[in-house]
Amino acid sequence: MTDWVADEKQYVFQNYGRQPIVLERGEGTRVWDSEGKEYLDFVGGLAVNVLGHASPVVADALAAQSRELIHTSNLFYTTPMIQLAKLLVENSCLDRVFFCNSGTEAIEACIKLARRWGFDTRDGAYEIIATENGFHGRTIGALAATGTARYREPFEPLPAGFHHVPWNSIDAIKAATNEKTVAVLIEPIQGEGGVNMPAPGYLQGIREWCDEKKLLLIFDEIQTGIGRTGTLWAYEQEGVEPDIMALAKGLAGGVPIGAMLAREEIAKHLVPGDHGTTFGANPLATATGFATLSHIIDTKLPAQAARASQRLVARLRSIEDRLPDVTEVRGRGLLLAVQFSRDCSVEVVAAARMRGLLVNNVRPNAVRMMPPLNVSDDEIDRASDILEDAIRSVLAPAK
Ligand SMILES: *Cc1c(COP(=O)(O)O)cnc(C)c1O
């Protein structure tokens, strides 16, 4: 029998810390490994698998489109990308869509659009204010915006003009603003940074400051979008609308895709020759995205995710009540984190996995849960029981 783990260690770049299981098959919230062991998947492909594994909605769209047209290039019109763009515009506060293939690429597009707008209308302003612990991707431009020095430093020098300010401080944004500032780039809830919630009024305060200083407000909804927080977009619950928004992750139910949305007055500054990508807007990804997003909207999945969240949060809070070493449950919708009194998330993740639950150690002292939007009550209950058992085994081992 092939030793897949040994072969991975020999042939694949060792830039990921993988869990020691080989996943082969999935259905809904469940996955099976190469030894036939079943797991509840509360990693959800890092917020990508919004409809779960092997969803017929995703699989049927993918199969049907693959028999029609997979790729043409943007030298031609194709219908799926126009349908998906229309659906996104009709269901958001923004007017136009640019498609690409990943989150980091969506952020690169946002940075270029902001700079292009600054070049045309703000006397060449180009600086972008982002937040400490914010995550925007790994390509050089998106990395410059990412607020974790450890991710950036080995790759310096990075493009100039990015400032990182502490999360939840409007004063810090004001202090970092100068005549060269063109935009504020921020996640409505910090995802990779540890599921960090915005303080009440924080995003509204940023919106007001951006209006006052003629700055663009760019929301990175790559993780928070597509129903993840209980509404289609996280900004809806904050009473704040961005000028530009980046999407990716769940947009096509697992097929690689990214998108930038913007208001018309800004979008019009990107003209032929300014930006593009060969695979972007390809029929395969956009047809699957159209099927996925239509299904999410038609079946009111964001509201279902909000109800599932109430159940999951209640279960996690009861664990918090019983176990003093669980110090916080935070997040919104099905983007949740459980924090511990010490750095034990790696051990908790391993203990949960051995008991049949997959979660992610988003911080040394916190695990993150991002199940599909259609996770069932029974799966939530079972996952909570397993997590509690796993935490007990790590934090309060039986004598
Ligand atoms: C995942 C993520 C990205 C990067 O997306 P990739 O598809 O991995 O490039 C950017 N921003 C946020 C908020 C993310 O969660």
Side-chain angles (χ1 to χ4, degrees):
M1 211 176 78
T2 311
D3 186 341
W4 293 115
V5 173
D7 278 4
E8 193 271 357
K9 296 244 177 290
Q10 180 170 353
Y11 296 114
V12 181
F13 269 78
Q14 295 296 298
N15 58 316
Y16 296 110
R18 295 180 205 271
Q19 309 261 338
I21 53 176
V22 181
L23 296 180
E24 281 190 344
R25 186 166 67 83
E27 194 184 321
T29 308
R30 295 176 300 166
V31 283
W32 288 269
D33 71 12
S34 52
E35 286 163 11
K37 183 173 161 68
E38 181 181 314
Y39 303 86
L40 279 170
D41 182 3
F42 274 51
V43 172
L46 293 173
V48 167
N49 302 326
V50 280
L51 303 184
H53 295 283
S55 161
V57 172
V58 176
D60 291 353
L62 201 46
Q65 188 58 46
S66 71
R67 292 192 197 96
E68 298 285 337
L69 264 186
I70 290 179
H71 178 79
T72 60
S73 90
N74 286 296
L75 297 179
F76 308 96
Y77 292 83
T78 54
T79 48
M81 66 106 172
I82 301 168
Q83 290 177 298
L84 180 56
K86 187 175 175 197
L87 189 66
L88 284 164
V89 167
E90 287 177 347
N91 288 280
S92 73
C93 62
L94 299 164
D95 304 318
R96 286 189 190 274
V97 186
F98 165 81
F99 289 110
C100 51
N101 312 288
S102 69
T104 200
E105 256 189 84
I107 294 294
E108 294 291 335
C110 293
I111 295 168
K112 283 184 70 175
L113 178 60
R115 286 188 173 200
R116 191 69 175 82
W117 178 84
F119 183 82
D120 287 345
T121 73
R122 286 274 327 282
D123 210 14
Y126 65 94
E127 291 189 3
I128 294 179
I129 299 172
T131 57
E132 291 171 7
N133 291 318
F135 185 81
H136 301 292
R138 304 286 201 161
T139 52
I140 291 290
L143 184 61
T146 287
T148 304
R150 168 169 53 88
Y151 293 161
R152 289 196 313 266
E153 276 162 7
F155 304 100
E156 288 173 349
L158 293 171
F162 291 86
H163 295 285
H164 299 96
V165 297
W167 173 248
N168 271 337
S169 168
I170 296 173
D171 288 344
I173 289 176
K174 291 183 177 174
T177 303
N178 62 54
E179 70 285 354
K180 290 271 164 235
T181 309
V182 74
V184 175
L185 167 61
I186 191 164
E187 298 157 88
I189 298 171
Q190 284 188 336
E192 302 305 307
V195 188
N196 303 318
M197 299 297 291
Y202 176 51
L203 297 175
Q204 271 172 358
I206 297 175
R207 176 72 271 179
E208 284 161 20
W209 181 249
C210 287
D211 291 343
E212 192 180 323
K213 294 290 167 185
K214 290 196 168 47
L215 313 179
L216 301 174
L217 177 56
I218 307 172
F219 276 171
D220 179 347
E221 290 236 23
I222 290 168
Q223 189 157 149
T224 54
I226 328 291
R228 177 60 41 194
T229 67
T231 47
L232 196 53
W233 319 115
Y235 72 72
E236 296 172 60
Q237 297 176 60
E238 297 287 338
V240 175
E241 294 186 345
D243 302 304
I244 305 176
M245 175 163 77
L247 301 177
K249 296 216 159 96
L251 179 54
V255 174
I257 191 168
M260 166 175 71
L261 281 66
R263 291 198 294 114
E264 169 63 8
E265 299 120 82
I266 302 153
K268 71 180 184 199
H269 290 275
L270 216 54
V271 298
D274 277 350
H275 195 55
T277 161
T278 301
F279 283 124
N282 73 79
L284 195 68
T286 49
T288 312
F290 180 70
T292 302
L293 192 63
S294 300
H295 179 80
I296 288 172
I297 292 167
D298 294 347
T299 62
K300 301 191 163 50
L301 258 188
Q304 189 180 321
R307 286 192 295 279
S309 174
Q310 285 180 3
R311 188 181 188 94
L312 182 52
V313 168
R315 297 290 303 231
L316 298 174
R317 292 221 198 283
S318 77
I319 299 175
E320 185 185 358
D321 290 343
R322 283 189 292 276
L323 303 182
D325 286 317
V326 175
T327 54
E328 191 183 23
V329 175
R330 61 173 179 262
R332 190 177 288 156
L334 293 174
L335 174 55
L336 298 170
V338 177
Q339 182 158 310
F340 312 112
S341 56
R342 63 181 173 84
D343 290 357
C344 61
S345 59
V346 172
E347 291 93 324
V348 170
V349 165
R353 184 182 67 243
M354 285 183 299
R355 289 163 175 77
L357 171 68
L358 304 181
V359 291
N360 158 251
N361 48 310
V362 69
R363 304 298 293 171
N365 63 351
V367 296
R368 178 174 49 169
M369 304 176 105
M370 296 174 288
L373 305 183
N374 54 11
V375 63
S376 72
D377 287 353
D378 174 61
E379 288 161 347
I380 286 172
D381 294 350
R382 279 192 288 143
S384 309
D385 288 345
I386 295 174
L387 185 68
E388 177 165 2
D389 193 31
I391 297 169
R392 279 183 195 279
S393 77
V394 170
L395 281 168
K399 297 206 175 87

